[in-house]
């Protein structure tokens, strides 16, 4: 009878261990499914926000940024402006400046020629408002180039386009009177 009791105890231990193994297997499977669901949800939310933010950003830049044309092949197109001689503000100095505009293409060059009186008038107003101190430094000249570019593009009624890509000084003389 002792042998029968031992065999029954072993069977009960095996059946109890088998039940525990099944329970452990079920818990592991459920844990894997929960982790997969959470990971999938996180990926969905992350990718949805990223694509929505990208769409908003591209939509915003499309509204506010001018469309860039493809860079044309060949040498750049330049248009030389007649020299400017103006009295500078706040003193007895004169500025003599010669510049050239780097344009996007020949059509922009022809358009610029049509607007030259308007461009010259706006540039004379800008240059005569400057002081000698503003124009002495390299930073002052760089700021002036940016202002001239903006004024020329605005004078040409270019809207969002920028037919003038750059402004180059070919002569820059400040003379005390």
């Amino acid at each position: 009878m002792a042998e029968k009791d031992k065999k029954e105890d072993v069977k009960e231990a095996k059946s109890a261990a088998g039940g525990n193994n099944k329970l452990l297997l079920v818990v592991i499977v459920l844990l894997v499914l929960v982790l997969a669901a959470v990971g999938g949800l996180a990926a969905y939310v992350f990718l949805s926000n990223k694509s929505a933010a990208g769409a908003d950003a591209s939509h915003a830049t499309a509204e506010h940024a001018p469309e860039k044309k493809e860079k044309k092949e060949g040498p750049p197109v330049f248009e030389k402006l007649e020299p400017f001689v103006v009295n500078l503000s706040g003193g007895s100095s004169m500025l003599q400046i010669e510049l050239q505009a780097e344009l996007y293409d020949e059509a922009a060059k022809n358009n610029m020629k049509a607007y030259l009186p308007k461009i010259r008038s706006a540039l004379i107003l800008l240059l005569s408002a400057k002081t000698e101190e503003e124009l002495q430094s390299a930073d002052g000249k760089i700021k002036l180039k940016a202002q001239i570019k903006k004024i020329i593009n605005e004078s040409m009624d270019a809207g969002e386009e920028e037919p003038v890509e750059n402004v180059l000084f070919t002569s820059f003389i400040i003379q005390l009177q």
Side-chain angles (χ1 to χ4, degrees), residues 101-140:
E102 183 179 352
L103 300 156
Y104 178 75
D105 58 11
E106 285 294 327
K109 182 177 181 178
N110 293 334
N111 194 27
M112 184 175 175
K113 286 180 183 178
Y115 284 96
L116 271 178
K118 189 175 179 181
I119 292 169
R120 285 192 62 82
S121 176
L123 290 179
I124 288 171
L125 291 173
L126 170 71
L127 294 171
S128 63
K130 297 295 180 182
T131 64
E132 180 183 350
E133 292 77 25
E134 287 179 279
L135 301 177
Q136 291 284 340
S137 70
D139 285 340

Side-chain angles (χ1 to χ4, degrees), residues 3-15:
E3 276 184 42
K4 280 187 177 181
D5 286 337
K6 284 184 185 179
K7 286 183 183 179
E8 286 179 21
D9 288 341
V10 171
K11 282 184 183 179
E12 286 179 21
K14 283 184 181 180
S15 66

